[in-house]
Amino acid sequence: MSLLSNPASVDNIALFVALICACIVIGHLLVENKWTNESTTPLLFGLCSGIVILLTSGGTNSRILEFDEQLFFIYLLPPIIFNAGFQVKKKQFFQNFMTIMLFGAIGTAMSFSIISFGAMHIIDMLNIGSLEIKDFLAIGAIFSATDSVCTLQILNQEEAPLLYSLVFGEGVVNDASSVVLFHAIQKYDLSNINIKTAFQFGGNFLILFTTSTLLGISVGLLSAYIMKKLHLGRHSPDREVALMIVMAYLSYMTAELFDLSGILTVFFCGIVMSHYTWHSMTDGSKVTTRHAFATFSFICEICIFLYVGMDALDMEKWKFVSSSPGKSVGLSAVLLGLVMIGRASFVFPLSFVSNLTRKSKGEKVNLKQQVIIWWAGLMRGAVSMALAYSQFTRFGHTQQPANAIILTSTITVVLFSTMVFGLMTKPLVRLLMPPSILSGDVLSSEPSSPNYSTVPLLRSSQDPESETGDQGIQRPASLSRLLSTTTHTIHRYWRKYDDRYMRPLFGGRGFVLPVPAPPTDNGLH
C-alpha cells in the first residue's frame, strides 16, 4: 500500500487505521466464540469494507490505499518472518530440520516445476492472452508460496508438536524458497531455456539460499556478542531492546542490499537471536521483546489480509473479466487443481524419505499426518498476492487483459483457499487425529527466563538429548538405520560443540549470569 498523491491521503490512512482497530476487536469476538480464525477475519472485514467503499464511490474504487509491493517486502513482511524465527520451538524445529528442509526447499522446487509446467500447457488452451515463459514460471513461484498462518492458529503446538513443527517450519522455508525462485526468474533471461541455463538457475538458487542463511546467522551472532559483552541493560533496557530490533531489521535490509533473500536472512537471524542474544537481556527486556515482535507481526498480518479483502472488489481488474467470466473461473479452477497436485507430488514421497531417518514408529509421519500436512499447505495468502502484484502490475494497476485475468484468478484462489480450506482444517484435524491420540508431551525451547539458581552450566553429560555410546554407527544394517544414525549423530555433536564453544562466547540458556537492572527498575524486581 502507498499514500495516495492527494490531500485525502491522511484521511485514507486514518480510516485504514480505524479499520485495523475494528478488525482487532471484531476478530477477537469472533475467535472467542470460535466462529472463525485470525486470517479469515481481516479478509472478511476487508471484503465488507470494500463493498461499502465501492457503493459510496459510485462503483469506481474499493480500496483506501494503493498497493505497493516495495512497501510489502520492506516494511510488512520482515516483522512477520522474524517473529516466526524468534518464536519457533527450536528443539522441535531442529529435530525435524531435515524433513522441514525437504518439504520447504526440495518440495517447493517440485511444486514450482509442476505448477509452471501445467500452467504453460493448460493456460494456453484457455486463450486468455499472450504470456511469456517468464510469466508461466512466475506463476509457478507465486502459487508455490503457502500461507500456513491460518492452519497454525488451529493446530495446537502442545497437542500436536510434530505436526505444528513441520507445518510451521515448512511454511517459512517454503515462502523464502518461493521468493528466491521468483527473484531468480526476474534476473535471468529465460526466453531460451537450455541445460546450461537450468544449471545456472539451480546454482544461483542454492547460492542465494546458502548465502542468505549464513548472513542471518552472522548478524544474529554479532548481536549476541555485543549484548553479552556490553550489558546494555545495566543502564538502559530501552537501548538493548532497540539494538535487538534494529539489528534484526538490519539483517533483512543487508540481504536486500546484496540481492539476497531477506526472508531467509531475517528468519535465521530470529532463530539465532532467540538462542543466544535473548538470554543476555534483563528480564524486563525479555518480556518486552517477545511481545513487541509478536505485536508487530500481528499488525502487519492484519494490514495485508485487510487490503487483500478490499482489493478483491477492484473494478479495474474485473472489467477485463466481465466480457468472459468463464476464463477467470476456469483459470482459478486450473490453478487450484495445480496447487493440489503440486503439493501432493512432494508431501507423500518426501514423507516416505523422511520416515527412513526416524527410528521409532512414534517419530514417523503417518498417512493421516501426511494428509493434514498436504491440506495445511493448500492455502495461499499474502506472499502469493505480493508476488502476483509485482509480476503482473505496475503500482497496483494493469491495462493488459491477460494480466488482469491472472490477478483476479489469484485473488479468487487466495480467498477460496483461505476461507474454505482454512475453515475446514480444524474439522479435518479432529477427524483424522482425535484428541485422544494427540500427544501433549513436548519440550519447549521458546525463549523463557532461566532460573539461574537451578540451571547449571550445561555439559554434554547433562544434556538430555545426548546419547551414550555409538551403537549402530559401526554396522548400519539398512539405509533407514544409516540415515537415522547420521541425523542423531550430527545433532549430538552439534550440542557438544554449542555447549563447549558457542554458548560461552555468545551467551545462551545457563551460560549468562543475571543482568542487574538499572537503578530506576529496582522497585519492579
Side-chain angles (χ1 to χ4, degrees):
M1 291 76 73
S2 64
L3 303 184
L4 297 177
S5 57
N6 56 61
S9 60
V10 176
D11 298 336
N12 294 334
I13 295 174
L15 181 58
F16 193 81
V17 174
L19 289 176
I20 293 175
C21 295
C23 191
I24 293 173
V25 175
I26 296 177
H28 167 73
L29 296 176
L30 293 177
V31 174
E32 188 77 11
N33 291 277
K34 303 184 184 303
W35 290 346
T36 183
N37 53 65
E38 294 287 355
S39 297
T40 309
T41 300
L43 275 176
L44 294 174
F45 206 81
L47 282 171
C48 296
S49 303
I51 293 174
V52 174
I53 297 172
L54 197 63
L55 294 175
T56 56
S57 64
T60 59
N61 187 29
S62 66
R63 300 169 301 192
I64 300 174
L65 302 175
E66 298 286 352
F67 181 86
D68 186 352
E69 61 269 15
Q70 185 177 12
L71 177 64
F72 172 83
F73 284 109
I74 298 299
Y75 299 108
L76 296 181
L77 191 58
I80 298 174
I81 302 300
F82 178 82
N83 184 66
F86 190 75
Q87 302 287 353
V88 69
K89 296 284 187 180
K90 293 184 292 297
K91 177 180 283 293
Q92 287 291 326
F93 180 83
F94 285 105
Q95 282 181 344
N96 300 291
F97 185 76
M98 296 302 297
T99 305
I100 289 172
M101 295 306 295
L102 277 175
F103 287 166
I106 298 177
T108 301
M110 295 170 63
S111 177
F112 162 77
S113 302
I114 291 176
I115 295 175
S116 299
F117 182 81
M120 197 177 302
H121 289 78
I122 298 177
I123 292 180
D124 282 341
M125 299 171 58
L126 297 176
N127 193 26
I128 66 172
S130 59
L131 293 174
E132 300 177 355
I133 187 171
K134 182 176 291 188
D135 295 325
F136 292 115
L137 294 176
I139 289 174
I142 289 168
F143 288 97
S144 296
T146 65
D147 177 35
S148 54
V149 174
C150 177
T151 304
L152 293 179
Q153 292 163 352
I154 296 173
L155 287 175
N156 190 306
Q157 188 165 209
E158 304 300 326
E159 293 180 347
L162 176 61
L163 273 179
Y164 189 95
S165 174
L166 292 179
V167 173
F168 177 85
E170 184 248 337
V172 176
V173 178
N174 167 277
D175 286 346
S177 302
S178 300
V179 174
V180 170
L181 281 171
F182 183 81
H183 289 324
I185 291 168
Q186 292 183 322
K187 290 180 181 179
Y188 274 87
D189 181 14
L190 301 174
S191 56
N192 295 315
I193 297 181
N194 50 42
I195 297 179
K196 182 180 179 181
T197 305
F199 275 106
Q200 288 178 344
F201 184 82
N204 183 57
F205 174 79
L206 293 176
I207 292 173
L208 278 176
F209 202 97
T210 304
T211 310
S212 302
T213 301
L214 292 177
L215 177 60
I217 294 174
S218 301
V219 176
L221 291 177
L222 177 61
S223 69
Y225 186 80
I226 293 175
M227 201 74 71
K228 185 175 183 292
K229 293 298 182 181
L230 296 185
H231 299 295
L232 298 177
R234 290 183 301 181
H235 305 290
S236 174
D238 297 337
R239 290 184 181 178
E240 59 179 358
V241 173
L243 180 65
M244 194 168 184
I245 294 175
V246 172
M247 290 201 70
Y249 190 64
L250 177 63
S251 69
Y252 184 89
M253 294 308 301
T254 304
E256 294 296 319
L257 178 64
F258 291 103
D259 293 328
L260 301 176
S261 172
I263 290 181
L264 268 178
T265 299
V266 78
F267 174 69
F268 280 97
C269 181
I271 292 179
V272 173
M273 281 189 170
S274 67
H275 189 65
Y276 297 112
T277 312
W278 189 81
H279 294 280
S280 298
M281 306 176 75
T282 60
D283 291 342
S285 297
K286 290 177 180 179
V287 176
T288 302
T289 52
R290 288 188 62 190
H291 288 288
F293 293 138
T295 302
F296 291 153
S297 174
F298 177 67
I299 293 176
C300 290
E301 289 174 7
I302 289 181
C303 291
I304 294 169
F305 284 111
L306 188 61
Y307 180 84
V308 170
M310 289 188 290
D311 192 65
L313 302 174
D314 180 37
M315 292 295 102
E316 181 186 61
K317 302 177 183 63
W318 290 103
K319 71 179 181 181
F320 292 103
V321 183
S322 58
S323 58
S324 54
K327 293 183 179 180
S328 179
V329 175
L331 181 58
S332 301
V334 167
L335 292 174
L336 271 174
L338 290 174
V339 166
M340 299 177 76
I341 295 173
R343 183 153 184 88
S345 67
F346 75 83
V347 168
F348 299 103
L350 294 184
S351 295
F352 172 78
V353 175
S354 172
N355 287 338
L356 295 177
T357 68
R358 299 175 182 269
K359 289 183 176 180
S360 64
K361 184 178 180 180
E363 293 178 344
K364 296 181 182 295
V365 184
N366 59 46
L367 182 60
K368 291 182 178 180
Q369 291 173 326
Q370 293 175 29
V371 172
I372 295 175
I373 294 172
W374 168 73
W375 183 271
L378 294 178
M379 285 171 283
R380 297 297 178 265
V383 176
S384 295
M385 287 298 304
L387 296 180
Y389 274 100
S390 179
Q391 178 69 22
F392 297 106
T393 68
R394 287 183 61 84
F395 303 106
H397 299 276
T398 181
Q399 296 297 326
Q400 298 183 17
N403 292 352
I405 292 176
I406 292 176
L407 281 173
T408 55
S409 300
T410 303
I411 293 172
T412 303
V413 170
V414 170
L415 291 176
F416 182 86
S417 62
T418 301
M419 299 174 68
V420 177
F421 294 160
L423 292 176
M424 292 176 61
T425 300
K426 193 169 186 177
L428 179 67
V429 172
R430 288 180 174 176
L431 176 65
L432 296 179
M433 298 187 66
S436 58
I437 67 173
L438 291 176
S439 172
D441 297 329
V442 56
L443 292 174
S444 173
S445 63
E446 68 175 329
S448 59
S449 301
N451 185 347
Y452 295 101
S453 61
T454 59
V455 179
L457 295 181
L458 296 178
R459 297 186 297 273
S460 58
S461 60
Q462 294 173 317
D463 187 354
E465 295 182 1
S466 63
E467 300 175 12
T468 58
D470 291 330
Q471 293 88 349
I473 297 180
Q474 300 296 331
R475 294 183 214 166
S478 63
L479 176 62
S480 173
R481 181 175 296 180
L482 175 63
L483 294 175
S484 177
T485 300
T486 303
T487 301
H488 286 79
T489 302
I490 292 175
H491 181 261
R492 184 171 69 251
Y493 280 113
W494 159 249
R495 288 300 301 268
K496 291 181 179 180
Y497 178 80
D498 188 32
D499 293 342
R500 181 173 299 177
Y501 300 107
M502 298 296 289
R503 293 193 187 188
L505 180 61
F506 298 104
R509 178 174 297 175
F511 284 81
V512 179
L513 296 176
V515 180
T520 55
D521 290 349
N522 286 340
L524 299 177
H525 293 272

